[in-house]
Amino acid sequence: MTEADPTHAPLFEHPAFLLGQLGFHTAGRFADLLAPIGIGPRHFGMLRLLRDHDGQSQQQLSEMLGIHRNVMVGLVDDLEKRELVERRKHPTDRRAHAVYLLPAAHEMLARAYEAVDGLEAELLASFDERDIATLLGLLQRLATANGLRRGIHPGLTSERISPPPCG
Amino acid sequence: MTEADPTHAPLFEHPAFLLGQLGFHTAGRFADLLAPIGIGPRHFGMLRLLRDHDGQSQQQLSEMLGIHRNVMVGLVDDLEKRELVERRKHPTDRRAHAVYLLPAAHEMLARAYEAVDGLEAELLASFDERDIATLLGLLQRLATANGLRRGIHPGLTSERISPPPCG
DNA sequence: TATTGTTATACTCTATAACTATA
DNA sequence: TATAGTTATAGAGTATAACAATA
């Protein structure tokens, strides 16, 4: 099953393909590692945001996460059911809810960060310090040059990034 | 909005996060570039596979693409409607269909490869030859070390890779 | 009139199971 | 009994529009 391509290199020779493949794999593994503690990547992102932006309205939070406010409703519902966040009255706008972290969230965040560390270690197991530094620098340049917002990833599902296949 | 993290580096410092972010972006852009010619990433993968494995059964093809045989039905349906492939009688197994490329598929493949080139150029616009070579080497090592199958990407949807958000 | 949170709807994609015709 | 292709069903996810309360 060697790839014989008359005009183009095999996909293994394309950085774009490898990025897509590795990104999908990474997102899936992240969801896998988060699953045992009972949250998904989107919940992690929300808790992480709240640690620095406690007490904001759902509207504000959804803009910062790059998601629609309708989706935010379900996200806050989930986290409220697990007693990780709380909806309180907004101090200045009676239409809005102010969302606050509850104490349990900090322990949850600590455990989620362990998952992040585990993922990073697993992914980069075969790399030494220098390889990692080189890779990080290149990926940061790519992300910046292609207009990706820092720390905002509109591609992480609750469980899996989702879809089907391709070769 | 500077990231102040007591215990962990901002996500921008995590190769795993950047891979997920860049992978999602890349997959989405690929779908965008393919859309004008009327196919999705999964169709491209199928046509590409058929060029080297013409006349195989749907079962065999779905195994090679890493997808379920039920999904293959719709994929072949799509391609048959566009007269890019054809179902014929399998020479040895009367239960199976043998799938063959039609002439129009070769032109479609050529145009799809232009999209691949365009994506690659867009993504790596700020990189010189040496950067690209370094990146490619690192990504290939990562893909291999993490057990990813060459040229098989079970994460490309018909239109978009799909999901919601995270920070 | 616009905005916040919410709900309802439709649409896409997936995963499972079941059916048929063959093997 | 198992397999190839197909179809049906239910589930998850998203996007859009609409609604009540408030600005």
Side-chain angles (χ1 to χ4, degrees):
Chain A
M1 201 163 308
T2 34
E3 300 200 55
D5 194 318
T7 57
H8 273 262
L11 298 181
F12 190 67
E13 303 297 327
H14 286 277
F17 176 81
L18 291 167
L19 279 176
Q21 196 184 28
L22 280 162
F24 180 74
H25 174 255
T26 302
R29 286 298 296 152
F30 186 42
D32 291 344
L33 292 171
L34 239 33
I37 67 176
I39 62 172
R42 59 189 343 180
H43 304 107
F44 168 70
M46 179 66 171
L47 294 178
R48 197 175 171 288
L49 180 67
L50 281 173
R51 203 191 36 198
D52 295 326
H53 300 274
D54 220 24
Q56 304 288 299
S57 72
Q58 295 181 190
Q59 184 84 276
Q60 290 173 308
L61 292 168
S62 63
E63 279 164 14
M64 285 188 268
L65 276 182
I67 67 178
H68 197 277
R69 68 184 199 278
N70 301 8
V71 178
M72 179 59 70
V73 175
L75 196 48
V76 177
D77 284 349
D78 289 348
L79 295 170
E80 208 166 35
K81 271 176 211 143
R82 291 160 200 267
E83 304 190 348
L84 295 170
V85 309
E86 193 178 54
R87 276 185 249 240
R88 302 187 199 152
K89 287 192 293 188
H90 191 99
T92 62
D93 189 338
R94 287 205 294 170
R95 296 171 302 180
H97 293 156
V99 184
Y100 287 89
L101 282 185
L102 291 177
H106 293 96
E107 196 204 339
M108 180 61 89
L109 261 171
R111 290 208 280 167
Y113 272 119
E114 286 174 25
V116 172
D117 291 341
L119 172 65
E120 202 93 350
E122 169 188 306
L123 196 70
L124 304 171
S126 62
F127 277 20
D128 62 25
E129 287 296 322
R130 214 166 141 269
D131 291 330
I132 295 176
T134 306
L135 177 68
L136 183 59
L138 291 170
L139 294 180
Q140 287 176 336
R141 284 174 55 199
L142 274 185
T144 302
N146 285 277
L148 272 44
R149 285 170 64 196
R150 288 202 177 198
I152 302 301
H153 180 179
L156 299 182
T157 335
S158 50
E159 264 308 300
R160 274 259 165 198
I161 217 175
S162 75
C166 215
Chain B
M1 200 165 307
T2 34
E3 300 201 55
D5 194 320
T7 57
H8 274 261
L11 297 181
F12 190 67
E13 303 298 327
H14 286 277
F17 177 80
L18 290 167
L19 279 175
Q21 197 185 26
L22 280 162
F24 180 73
H25 175 255
T26 303
R29 287 297 297 152
F30 187 42
D32 291 344
L33 292 170
L34 240 32
I37 66 176
I39 63 171
R42 62 194 335 184
H43 303 108
F44 167 70
M46 178 68 170
L47 294 178
R48 196 175 173 287
L49 180 67
L50 280 172
R51 203 191 37 199
D52 295 326
H53 301 274
D54 220 25
Q56 304 288 300
S57 72
Q58 295 181 190
Q59 184 83 275
Q60 290 173 308
L61 292 168
S62 63
E63 280 164 14
M64 284 188 268
L65 276 181
I67 67 177
H68 197 275
R69 68 183 201 276
N70 300 9
V71 178
M72 179 59 69
V73 175
L75 196 48
V76 177
D77 284 350
D78 288 348
L79 295 170
E80 207 166 36
K81 270 176 211 144
R82 292 160 199 267
E83 303 189 350
L84 296 169
V85 309
E86 193 177 55
R87 277 185 248 239
R88 301 186 201 152
K89 286 190 294 187
H90 192 99
T92 61
D93 188 338
R94 288 205 293 170
R95 296 170 303 179
H97 293 156
V99 183
Y100 287 88
L101 282 184
L102 291 178
H106 293 96
E107 196 204 337
M108 180 60 89
L109 261 171
R111 291 208 281 165
Y113 273 119
E114 286 174 25
V116 172
D117 291 341
L119 172 65
E120 202 93 350
E122 170 188 304
L123 196 70
L124 303 171
S126 62
F127 277 20
D128 61 25
E129 288 295 322
R130 216 168 137 266
D131 291 330
I132 296 176
T134 306
L135 176 69
L136 182 60
L138 290 170
L139 294 180
Q140 288 176 335
R141 284 174 54 199
L142 274 186
T144 302
N146 285 276
L148 272 45
R149 286 170 64 195
R150 288 203 177 198
I152 302 302
H153 180 178
L156 299 183
T157 334
S158 49
E159 265 307 301
R160 273 258 165 199
I161 217 176
S162 72
C166 215

